[in-house]
Amino acid sequence: MMKIGILALQGDFDAHARRLVELGAEPVLVRNPEQLDGIDGLIIPGGESSVFLNLLGARGFEKLSEFVRTRPTFGTCAGCILLAREVENPAQKGVGALDITVRRNAYGRQIDSAIVEGPCELAGGVMEQVYIRAPRIERVGPEVEVLARRDGYAVLIRQGKLLAATFHPELSEDKRVHAEFLRLVEKYGQ
Ligand code: GLN
């Protein structure tokens, strides 16, 4: 059985854990960096990316960066921000593994949370997308594949063994995004 860690320092890790169980994987709540050694892939959930950075501290950030560079990782919302090469509004450090520029809280106060349906490249087409104080991906590098868009902006992307969404697939019934991540874990797992 695949063991998938979910960074559980803060934010919405429960819904991810339920989804993994539904898909036949074993969720492991990761609360300290040493736990990264025993898992096949990692989910970094939504929350506040700045709070994640504070809670990780320098050593946790190093350990996380090392994991992300070599193993399959899926970031949603704040998790996507943590994986990015460039973060704006305000500028913030990221692991730098995903070649994107991401703008935090890009939708303004009034429309910052929304449920929309948008085109998706995964088999089955159109996907529900739940946004909560979402960031926007303003630039994607040449190695980034765009799997779904909202108003023309990339919202679900894949770069090698990394997957990231600016929305929250764990809050919809649709299991395709997590299934895609497990496929990456199977493909790139060690
Ligand atoms: N606004 C958060 C941030 O900038 C992300 C929100 C989320 O993860 N739902 O880190």
Side-chain angles (χ1 to χ4, degrees), residues 3-9 28-44 56 59-68 70-73 190:
K3 278 193 185 180
I4 308 295
I6 308 168
L7 196 63
L9 299 173
V28 178
L29 298 185
V30 173
R31 295 209 159 87
N32 67 67
E34 284 65 41
Q35 288 172 282
L36 292 172
D37 295 332
I39 56 176
D40 303 308
L42 177 70
I43 296 177
I44 309 178
L56 280 167
R59 205 178 64 88
F61 183 80
E62 265 320 299
K63 186 93 184 161
L64 180 70
S65 301
E66 188 191 311
F67 185 93
V68 167
T70 54
R71 317 292 294 277
T73 304
Q190 300 172 350

Side-chain angles (χ1 to χ4, degrees), residues 4-188:
I4 308 295
I6 308 168
L7 196 63
L9 299 173
Q10 194 246 352
D12 70 333
F13 43 85
D14 276 348
H16 284 289
R18 280 196 295 276
R19 182 56 47 85
L20 290 173
V21 170
E22 285 165 10
L23 289 170
E26 182 186 339
V28 178
L29 298 185
V30 173
R31 295 209 159 87
N32 67 67
E34 284 65 41
Q35 288 172 282
L36 292 172
D37 295 332
I39 56 176
D40 303 308
L42 177 70
I43 296 177
I44 309 178
E48 278 303 316
S49 51
S50 53
V51 177
F52 276 116
L53 286 173
N54 282 337
L55 293 172
L56 280 167
R59 205 178 64 88
F61 183 80
E62 265 320 299
K63 186 93 184 161
L64 180 70
S65 301
E66 188 191 311
F67 185 93
V68 167
R69 276 196 296 271
T70 54
R71 317 292 294 277
T73 304
F74 171 31
T76 56
C77 205
C80 173
I81 297 170
L82 283 178
L83 292 175
R85 183 161 295 169
E86 287 168 308
V87 181
E88 301 175 338
N89 190 41
Q92 180 172 280
K93 99 170 161 178
V95 166
L98 267 182
D99 186 13
I100 59 171
T101 301
V102 68
R103 185 172 179 79
R104 298 179 64 198
N105 304 311
Y107 292 94
R109 280 231 165 134
Q110 298 305 315
I111 53 158
D112 64 354
S113 300
I115 301 178
V116 306
E117 298 222 315
C120 178
E121 298 289 319
L122 296 177
V126 171
M127 176 172 284
E128 178 182 273
Q129 303 161 0
V130 179
Y131 293 92
I132 305 170
R133 301 189 62 229
R136 188 163 63 207
I137 297 172
E138 307 272 348
R139 178 193 68 83
V140 294
E143 283 170 27
V144 176
E145 295 170 82
V146 178
L147 302 179
R149 294 182 189 270
R150 174 187 184 185
D151 300 333
Y153 288 97
V155 295
L156 176 64
I157 57 176
R158 186 172 56 206
Q159 183 185 333
K161 49 178 91 67
L162 303 176
L163 185 69
T166 58
F167 61 97
H168 290 266
E170 77 282 7
L171 299 180
S172 294
E173 295 295 309
D174 196 326
K175 296 185 181 62
R176 282 179 289 163
V177 178
H178 288 77
E180 171 64 13
F181 181 56
L182 295 182
R183 193 185 69 77
L184 292 180
V185 175
E186 206 147 51
K187 184 172 172 191
Y188 293 103

